[in-house]
Amino acid sequence: MTAATTGVPAKQITDEDVAYMKSFIGESAVVVQWNEEASTDSIRHYAWGIGDENPLWLLDSYAQTTRYGTRIAPPTFLYSVCDAEVAMGMSEGIQAIHLGADLDFRRPIRLGERVRARAFVEDVRERVGRRSGRLVEQVGRTDYFVGEELVGIVRNTIVCVARSSGGQRMHEPRDPHVYTDEEKEQIRAAILAEEIRGQRTRFAETVSVGDVVPQVVKGPLDLITMTAYYAGAIGTAGYRGVETRVRQQERVRNGDPSAPTNLGPEHFLSEPFPSLGHQDAAMAHAIGMPGAYDNGNQRVSWMAHCVTNWMGDDADLVSLSVRIKQPGVFGDTQWIGGEVTRVFRDEAHGACAEVTVKAINQLGVETTSAVAVVSLAETRSS
């Protein structure tokens, strides 16, 4: 998330820190995949984890009637294969925070296909935050293959900031939001009213700038939701039972060739595990977050969910660019919707629509923005 601060962190990022991170540009990372196959179970677990019950992902009887002839995985299932978190060379005291992602979808992943991930640091760049001082952004690129075919590319942008300490933090603590019974019922009704376009083909000639992209509602965020998400896309190789985590830590410490290197060693060696902030409020506060908070890839998946609902089965999601502006903490609800902002033709994809969507939380704060490109079906000549 963005690194808005209330003071200058005790540790500063040094020239040596920056030079070391830049030394990893172009270097391949050892990644440990969560899923290797788009199986019945892995697709279902991921779809449930992101709260997306599109029958194209979940029902064989439905999917067999579509142009695919079989179930396919949600586009962001790529994160279930490998979370694409790449931020190498971070020294002790530097915190990695998900800033955004740019995803390029070459084609859907079909039921039964085996997927392989390859990751490396593509770029490292410095900037100065308005309130947070010196920052380093790392862009990690992860390529996904079925056999030798490139089926998707994810570029996750990670901002590396000096970890909060001494009472100075990126965000002030915030208690979970308390909803009235009426607000709870409104959220429930909105979830049940979610519209999935499905087999009602959205032809290019019917799409215009300003068309509304209906909302999906996510939340209120809670521990079970986070657990369900991690069941589908566990994240880095540090998310393991304590016994296997100890063994993995030993592999990292000893430089075992099988040990993950996509993040700095401290990420895998720290106790308590840094990413417990996604589930535990005390750990979240310790790293300067307002409370236990959602996962950046999870937020990307929610934005994609809104777009795939709108576009239907006969369109293709070509790309998705997401910027995360504020953390979502336990108790938060996100209303995600938008509109068509451009209609155009592309040499590679034919008739396309650019769709812009935003996530607004229950406090009226815009937490996330995204721009998607969708390749639309064209009306056949009679």
Side-chain angles (χ1 to χ4, degrees):
M1 287 65 180
T2 50
T5 63
T6 56
V8 179
K11 168 168 172 64
Q12 295 294 298
I13 294 176
T14 66
D15 290 342
E16 290 74 19
D17 289 329
V18 176
Y20 188 53
M21 284 187 268
K22 285 185 175 181
S23 73
F24 287 91
I25 293 176
E27 181 167 328
S28 294
V30 177
V31 295
V32 177
Q33 295 186 196
W34 176 238
N35 287 314
E36 295 184 357
E37 182 178 339
S39 68
T40 294
D41 292 336
S42 65
I43 293 175
R44 182 176 69 250
H45 295 164
Y46 182 74
W48 283 354
I50 64 174
D52 185 350
E53 294 193 307
N54 192 322
L56 187 56
W57 330 136
L58 297 174
L59 296 179
D60 289 326
S61 58
Y62 176 90
Q64 288 165 3
T65 68
T66 70
R67 61 184 171 130
Y68 301 106
T70 186
R71 287 166 55 197
I72 63 172
T76 55
F77 179 81
L78 298 174
Y79 283 137
S80 181
V81 173
C82 173
D83 64 5
E85 300 289 12
V86 184
M88 300 169 73
M90 291 185 298
S91 62
E92 184 175 358
I94 295 178
Q95 177 71 30
I97 301 171
H98 196 135
L99 193 66
D102 297 282
L103 299 90
D104 175 8
F105 305 102
R106 300 300 176 89
R107 71 157 174 84
I109 296 172
R110 293 174 171 82
L111 179 67
E113 290 188 318
R114 296 184 66 83
V115 187
R116 172 176 54 88
R118 183 181 66 194
F120 61 96
V121 177
E122 187 170 69
D123 192 18
V124 176
R125 53 197 181 224
E126 286 186 77
R127 66 179 177 88
V128 177
R130 183 167 57 88
R131 289 176 292 177
S132 53
R134 192 177 195 180
L135 309 174
V136 178
E137 290 182 2
Q138 291 205 44
V139 179
R141 171 171 166 164
T142 305
D143 296 340
Y144 298 83
F145 298 87
V146 172
E148 297 303 313
E149 180 187 5
L150 180 65
V151 296
I153 300 170
V154 174
R155 291 177 173 89
N156 271 8
T157 300
I158 305 297
V159 63
C160 304
V161 301
R163 189 170 296 160
S164 299
S165 61
Q168 298 161 333
R169 58 182 65 253
M170 291 179 286
H171 301 273
E172 288 302 311
R174 177 160 62 86
D175 291 332
H177 187 81
V178 178
Y179 296 88
T180 65
D181 288 343
E182 182 180 0
E183 289 171 329
K184 292 177 184 177
E185 183 54 38
Q186 288 173 346
I187 292 169
R188 182 175 182 275
I191 291 170
L192 295 176
E194 181 180 311
E195 179 185 335
I196 300 174
R197 183 76 181 184
Q199 291 184 318
R200 293 173 293 138
T201 302
R202 191 178 290 283
F203 289 108
E205 65 181 24
T206 68
V207 175
S208 301
V209 172
D211 286 354
V212 172
V213 176
Q215 287 185 335
V216 297
V217 178
K218 299 291 184 179
L221 183 69
D222 58 16
L223 182 58
I224 293 176
T225 301
M226 289 307 303
T227 302
Y229 177 73
Y230 284 127
I234 198 65
T236 65
Y239 278 101
R240 294 167 175 247
V242 62
E243 301 85 4
T244 53
R245 191 165 71 246
V246 166
R247 298 185 190 107
Q248 184 75 307
Q249 288 172 329
E250 193 66 12
R251 288 190 284 270
V252 171
R253 188 174 286 112
N254 295 331
D256 188 300
S258 69
T261 63
N262 56 301
L263 296 170
E266 186 195 20
H267 181 85
F268 302 104
L269 298 175
S270 291
E271 289 291 352
F273 185 54
S275 292
L276 285 176
H278 292 299
Q279 297 172 310
D280 180 79
M283 187 64 192
H285 293 159
I287 62 174
M289 300 301 279
Y293 57 104
D294 60 359
N295 179 289
N297 292 345
Q298 181 183 28
R299 193 87 63 84
V300 173
S301 75
W302 293 348
M303 308 305 276
H305 178 183
C306 180
V307 177
T308 56
N309 272 6
W310 172 81
M311 72 187 202
D313 300 343
D314 294 322
D316 292 305
L317 183 57
V318 175
S319 64
L320 180 68
S321 180
V322 179
R323 294 298 171 263
I324 299 172
K325 303 179 178 183
Q326 292 291 330
V329 302
F330 281 17
D332 282 1
T333 301
Q334 310 277 347
W335 282 262
I336 303 168
E339 65 179 11
V340 176
T341 46
R342 187 161 68 106
V343 177
F344 63 100
R345 291 196 66 84
D346 177 87
E347 183 176 344
H349 301 102
C352 293
E354 176 188 88
V355 174
T356 299
V357 294
K358 297 178 180 180
I360 310 292
N361 70 14
Q362 75 283 351
L363 302 175
V365 175
E366 181 182 319
T367 66
T368 320
S369 63
V371 177
V373 172
V374 175
S375 175
L376 297 164
E378 300 190 55
T379 305
R380 295 183 177 88
S381 300
S382 56

